[in-house]
Amino acid sequence: MQIMVNGTATEVQGETLASVLGELGYGDAKIATAVNGDFVPAAARDVPLAPGDRVEIVAPRQGG
Amino acid sequence: MRLYDTDIASRLMLGTAQYPSPAVLAEAFRRSGAGIATVSVRREAGGAQAGAAFWDLVRDLGVKILPNTAGCHSVREAVTTAQMARELFDTAWIKLEVIGHADTLQPDPFGLVEAADILVRDGFEVFPYTTEDAVLADRLLSAGCRVLMPWGAPIGTGLGLTNIYALRTLRAQFPDVPMIVDAGMGLPSHAAMAMEMGFDAVLLNTAVARAGDPAAMAEGFARAVEAGRLAFGADPMQPRDMAAPSTPVIGKAFLE
């Protein structure tokens, strides 16, 4: 199915957030996630995704 | 100083953005003695390790981490960003930014109060980036914020304290609330002034990161913060219009 990953349309095979993260190379990266604007805790990433879902994947960055 | 039941030795807080290199960032922190570093969360590409590399650098600084919600213009964005930051950095601290205007980056006071209320009830320890408005401050305190971070000037301007009167009023109205002047500082003298006025700490980023010698500027700010705090506690003299000789008049030789 096609979903949005960090603003980019992306074709994925996985059906859950966890499987898609693995598929896209995030593996054990230090990241946090949101789906359709809502935070998804690391412990809850087995949540199923639907076509068109907007997934945001963020990591620590410089800030002021 | 004490912020949300945490004792912090230094009254200087530093951002981590815009430094010429990670090494310069680390040196600036070392020279400044800052005990708190602000950080953000941003999109990470699959397979990229930028986040991990930065996290290693920040962890090695040995300081308390204050994640922000920079760039968030809505309550929902800010709340979701705060939740992601809490998990990433394993801290309940959040520098809450809800930006109301793209040019001035000034806080949206209405969104700020709403987001603060949601986050406090969710267990966050909120550091709201706010204007110097005393009524807004009262609302933020009512929402459960136990620290306030009024701006000195708009982010990145280096203008210093642009509304001394309002800042002085704010400090006087809430004498027991830890207050950190956040944003707009350009020179150590600006930080010294904030500390002389009785503010508890200052938070800055660009003034150090964009200086020609960030580490030297960081030390300059650290000394200014200490000087200003010493002056605040030392009961400064009151200015006056008429001159008053500092050298005793009595006993002056008569040489006409």
Side-chain angles (χ1 to χ4, degrees):
Chain A
M1 63 179 160
Q2 194 176 84
I3 58 172
M4 297 295 285
V5 178
N6 285 349
T8 303
T10 308
E11 189 68 33
V12 295
Q13 303 302 313
E15 293 181 351
T16 66
L17 177 59
S19 60
V20 165
L21 288 173
E23 183 183 329
L24 296 178
Y26 289 96
D28 54 359
K30 188 171 179 63
I31 54 165
T33 52
V35 176
N36 298 327
D38 292 321
F39 171 57
V40 179
R45 288 182 189 154
D46 53 1
V47 61
L49 293 177
D53 274 353
R54 293 174 295 110
V55 176
E56 291 286 331
I57 304 162
V58 299
R61 280 294 189 285
Q62 296 80 355
Chain B
M1 63 177 169
R2 200 164 177 78
L3 303 171
Y4 285 108
D5 309 318
T6 300
D7 289 316
I8 303 289
S10 171
R11 294 177 181 271
L12 174 61
M13 301 159 62
L14 269 186
T16 56
Q18 306 185 73
Y19 292 80
S21 73
V24 171
L25 185 161
E27 177 64 7
F29 266 84
R30 194 187 63 75
R31 291 261 302 264
S32 75
I36 296 172
T38 49
V39 297
S40 72
V41 302
R42 288 294 179 259
R43 286 172 168 175
E44 180 85 312
Q49 291 295 309
F54 175 68
W55 178 235
D56 287 344
L57 171 71
V58 166
R59 216 174 22 199
D60 288 347
L61 297 175
V63 296
K64 180 93 176 156
I65 301 298
L66 177 59
N68 68 28
T69 64
C72 291
H73 285 254
S74 73
V75 172
R76 187 174 187 214
E77 263 189 309
V79 168
T80 300
T81 300
Q83 291 166 331
M84 293 194 291
R86 177 164 62 177
E87 181 176 87
L88 263 185
F89 297 107
D90 193 27
T91 177
W93 281 20
I94 191 75
K95 170 178 165 174
L96 179 59
E97 297 183 48
V98 182
I99 301 301
H101 194 285
D103 290 339
T104 61
L105 301 178
Q106 68 191 89
D108 167 3
F110 310 99
L112 187 62
V113 172
E114 190 182 335
D117 184 62
I118 292 167
L119 291 172
V120 166
R121 282 190 279 109
D122 192 20
F124 283 87
E125 297 182 325
V126 177
F127 293 65
Y129 167 64
T130 180
T131 59
E132 68 287 271
D133 186 290
V135 177
L136 174 53
D138 196 38
R139 295 285 191 282
L140 290 167
L141 294 171
S142 296
C145 296
R146 288 193 281 137
V147 173
L148 295 174
M149 299 211 296
W151 64 350
I155 297 167
T157 60
L159 291 170
L161 310 186
T162 55
N163 194 341
I164 300 286
Y165 168 77
L167 284 169
R168 191 183 295 129
T169 304
L170 185 66
R171 180 68 285 181
Q173 278 202 27
F174 307 102
D176 300 324
V177 176
M179 280 190 208
I180 300 149
V181 176
D182 174 16
M185 261 162 291
L187 288 166
S189 53
H190 302 151
M193 183 184 285
M195 300 307 294
E196 288 164 9
M197 291 167 67
F199 286 93
D200 296 275
V202 296
L203 170 52
L204 55 119
N205 190 156
T206 311
V208 164
R210 289 289 195 215
D213 185 342
M217 189 61 83
E219 184 178 332
F221 268 98
R223 294 190 192 188
V225 166
E226 281 186 33
R229 183 66 185 178
L230 275 172
F232 171 68
D235 189 17
M237 68 170 282
Q238 291 304 305
R240 46 180 282 163
D241 289 337
M242 285 295 291
S246 51
T247 303
V249 176
I250 294 169
K252 180 187 174 295
F254 191 76
L255 302 168
E256 281 295 333

